[in-house]
Amino acid sequence: MTARRIVPWLPWLLRAVVLAAAVVGLVQMVWHARLFAQRLTFPLDLEWMEGGMLVHARRLASGQSIYVKPSLEFIPFLYTPLYPALLALVSKLAPLGYVLGRMVSIVSFAGSLAVIVYLAIREAGRTAALIGLAAAGAVVASYEFTGAFYDLVRNDSLVLLLEAGVVALAFGGRSRKSAAGAGVLIALAFFTKQTASLLGIGIGVGLLAASWRRGFVYGISAAVTLALGILFLVKITDGWFWTYVFKLHQSHPFRWDTLPTTPREILRYEYLTLAALVVVTVGLALGRRLERRDFVLAGVAAAGLASGIVGFATMWAWQNAWIPAVFFPTMVVAVLGARLVSHALATMRPGAVALASIGVLALGAQSVRAGKPNTKLRAPTAVDRAAAERFLVKIRSLPGDGFIPFHPYYSVLAGKKPFLHRMGVMDVREALGRPEGLDQAMDGRKFSFIVLDWKHIPYEWPGLEARYRIVSEFRDGVDTVRNFSGADTWPRYLILPIKDGPPIPAGGRTVTNFETGRWEGWTVEGGAFGPGPWYATDELFGKFAADSGRFGPAQTGSLRSTPLKIDRPHLRFVITGPTDAALSVSLMDGANAARVVNNGSGKATVVDWDVSDLIGHSVTLVVQDRSPSSGIAIDEIVAY
């Protein structure tokens, strides 16, 4: 069969491939739109730095600076300020919170996808919209690979929109005015997130190669905008902007070990997109359809990949660093693919049709290979929302202002004062030391309560272990909720200031207060009291107490002391528990119960026994729980 007889079928083949890729892309967008909607209104952090970004916006909205001396009150993230500034501005029209922050990111992300479709249409007419949709779908499909960040209260999607706008002006424009606009826009992208500088350099090099005059205008425009912006921010922040954004950011260790591994990760994920890029470039080269302005696209693709590799090498970087490595090569495939498809349909050359079909097919296959989003991992359920509400109810019920360093915006949600974010402490500790006021507040028990995530590090907060005690643990799916993006960390411990026990009268001594956390001098029977003392409740003292209700009311058991020699006329202790004959504390003198108490009030009760008649006797203290419906706790056993 000759090529001439094949020709009538070629346009139908190519159009079918383009349509199929577009359909796959649309399916990805529908899937992720539903996922974004499920996440939009979740009332807590989807990712642990979301709330911190809202605290930044809250300060700006109230007229406070975010670049200030590190203190207990606030430490900024090492980001440039445009995203929280935009949230602060928009909060004049809508309430500041998770919904607003996520909507800004979702709209920005949708806008960046629209730029891809726009560039494809501009390159090859309206029929190329399908190729743009296929490419947009491939970007959306990378949601899981890039850490599930596109819809968060983070700056990633806004910087993506601004960078996409830079490409549209630099590549799509022809005039020096468009080059100047691109320069201003890349500066704004830098003021959203510093990693935009790598893309800015790549576009600048490409522009210089394509049109040195436009490249020069772009560079001057970007440099002037950056210089004026930096000088302004340095001046109004007394130099703190420079300290955080440049000095501290650059002081973080560079993870050289990621440089050989990150390219392999990116290639393993998007080899189909990169293959499509190669195929469409070869197809255009063979058809003599490459243009000088394509140097801009070459710079965009190379800089996007470099940004992903270098960004991930920054200390504490997450997979969102890979967003530019996915977005910009895909954008270039959309533009060049649209041109190749247009060329193939116009010439009907079998080679051009074949290469165009392969390129578009690879783009669609990228979306297919990514598959459906992991809604089980990423979408909060009704159970999660109920647990989130219970958590907030608990925080609101606590008196005073608390310290929630992993999620400071939770204090705002509870109507309390927020303090610094843990990320800020980590950022400044090597170069600037401990934040002013933090250790003093901990040592002075300034916080009415503290909530720490399970990921906290022992002795991370000097003074915590000596001045505060864990009183309870939040339970997954009951009154705490995991994160749905980013680092795995969520609230676990409710911590209150240590309460000193009642003063010991002169000449008295502590028999036991359980502060070692071990059953030293006690024998346990049954499962109620557990393998060691439990966290002292708010009504008791110190860090630990003996508590038979730690596993719930159904457990039963007893706690028996080793023989105690009575050498003072009084034995005093504190108990909690309801009035229940099955709950008791007994003082056994041999086989006889010399003293018994089981009339708890439900609150902490001080029991003071006169044991003067037992002086010289060797006795045993027995704490008994035979109740299936309640428990008893004892603490601060003193002889005087």
Side-chain angles (χ1 to χ4, degrees), residues 465-538:
E465 284 75 10
R467 303 301 183 190
Y468 287 83
R469 61 199 173 130
I470 297 172
V471 296
S472 63
E473 293 187 10
F474 296 106
R475 295 161 293 173
D476 295 343
V478 177
D479 51 8
T480 190
V481 189
R482 66 179 176 85
N483 287 140
F484 297 88
S485 294
D488 286 334
T489 182
W490 55 88
R492 175 66 70 223
Y493 304 105
L494 176 60
I495 301 172
L496 298 180
I498 287 176
K499 291 169 58 177
D500 297 327
I504 300 175
R509 66 181 178 86
T510 297
V511 176
T512 186
N513 55 16
F514 305 104
E515 290 304 291
T516 65
R518 298 183 297 275
W519 291 131
E520 295 178 349
W522 295 84
T523 302
V524 179
E525 296 178 4
F529 287 94
W534 192 238
Y535 305 132
T537 64
D538 189 31

Side-chain angles (χ1 to χ4, degrees), residues 48 406-407 453-456 481-483 487-491:
W48 82 299
F406 286 77
H407 313 274
D453 283 20
W454 62 265
K455 206 171 187 177
H456 87 99
V481 189
R482 66 179 176 85
N483 287 140
D488 286 334
T489 182
W490 55 88

Side-chain angles (χ1 to χ4, degrees), residues 21 76 78 148 163 226 253-254 389 427 432 513 562 571:
L78 305 188
E163 290 170 334
L226 282 169
F254 190 80
E389 290 299 336
D427 283 334
L432 301 178
N513 55 16
T562 54
L571 190 66

Side-chain angles (χ1 to χ4, degrees), residues 528-548:
F529 287 94
W534 192 238
Y535 305 132
T537 64
D538 189 31
E539 298 170 310
L540 298 176
F541 307 96
K543 293 182 181 180
F544 299 106
D547 188 350
S548 71

Side-chain angles (χ1 to χ4, degrees), residues 4 60 101 106 111 150 215 311 349 364 399 407 437 443 513 603 623 635:
R4 185 177 298 275
L60 291 172
I106 291 170
Y150 292 136
R349 293 176 179 171
H407 313 274
D443 189 58
N513 55 16
K603 297 182 179 180
V623 186
D635 198 9

